[in-house]
Amino acid sequence: MEIRELNEGDLESLVKLYEQLDGSNEGFTAEAARLVWKSEIEGNKNIKYFGAIEDGKVVSTCFCLIIPNLTRLGSSACFVENVVTDKDHRGQGLGKKIMERAIAFARERGCYKVILESASFRKEAHQFYKNLGFDGDSKKAFIMKLKKY
C-alpha cells in the first residue's frame, strides 16, 4: 500500500471511489474530471489530493484546500473534504493514514487549523474524526447549497 499525493493518472479510480461517497457523483466521468484537473487543480499549490494506492487503484482519499488568511497573523487554514475509503478496505487504518497526511500537509504550509465537514447523520465518521483530534463541538458549520445533487 502506498500513501501519496494523487495525480492525473489516478483520476479514473478516484472517480470510481467517489461513487461510494454519497451518490452525488453518479455519471461524472474520468474525462470530465480530467478537464477540471487540468484547468483548476494541476499546478495549484493550494490544492492537494492524497490517496492510498493498492495495485494502481485509489482505495482511500481526501482533498485538501489551503485557504490564505489575513487573521491569525496571516496563518492559513486547511479545509479537508471528500474523505472516503473503499468499502472493501475499511477498518484497515487507511482513512487515518490519509488524514494524517492531510494534517502533515497543513502543518507544512503553516496552517493554524484544519477544518472538515461531515454529514450530521454520520456518527461513526464523527467518532473517527474525534479520535484524530478534531473538535466537533467548538464551531458550527452553516451550509447554503447552490446546486442540488
Side-chain angles (χ1 to χ4, degrees):
M1 189 76 56
E2 179 185 15
I3 307 295
R4 64 169 169 78
E5 184 179 334
L6 301 182
N7 59 55
E8 183 181 354
D10 298 308
L11 289 177
E12 190 167 326
S13 66
L14 179 61
V15 168
K16 290 294 274 180
L17 178 59
Y18 278 157
E19 290 175 5
Q20 297 182 37
L21 189 59
D22 63 7
S24 67
N25 220 37
E26 191 175 318
F28 191 66
T29 65
E31 293 77 28
R34 190 165 281 104
L35 292 174
V36 175
W37 187 272
K38 288 293 204 183
S39 67
E40 302 293 331
I41 298 168
E42 189 174 71
N44 186 331
K45 68 178 184 161
N46 289 330
I47 299 175
K48 298 287 182 196
Y49 282 75
F50 296 108
I53 312 300
E54 182 176 78
D55 298 326
K57 179 180 164 189
V58 180
V59 296
S60 185
T61 190
C62 76
F63 156 81
C64 299
L65 171 65
I66 301 297
I67 305 166
N69 184 24
L70 295 177
T71 66
R72 305 284 195 245
L73 303 174
S75 295
S76 297
C78 178
F79 182 75
V80 174
E81 182 76 309
N82 301 333
V83 180
V84 62
T85 298
D86 180 270
K87 62 183 175 11
D88 296 330
H89 291 82
R90 292 180 186 155
Q92 300 175 23
L94 298 177
K96 180 179 180 183
K97 288 178 182 177
I98 295 303
M99 288 299 297
E100 287 172 344
R101 182 61 193 100
I103 293 164
F105 172 63
R107 283 191 175 110
E108 290 162 13
R109 292 294 304 274
C111 293
Y112 79 98
K113 71 179 177 180
V114 177
I115 309 160
L116 64 86
E117 295 174 343
S118 180
S120 57
F121 65 87
R122 297 188 65 221
K123 303 300 181 195
E124 189 174 303
H126 300 171
Q127 189 57 54
F128 168 72
Y129 297 130
K130 286 178 184 178
N131 290 345
L132 286 171
F134 285 85
D135 176 356
D137 299 319
S138 65
K139 297 262 185 166
K140 180 165 180 69
F142 293 87
I143 300 169
M144 177 188 290
K145 293 196 175 190
L146 302 178
K147 294 183 180 182
K148 297 190 186 248
Y149 293 101

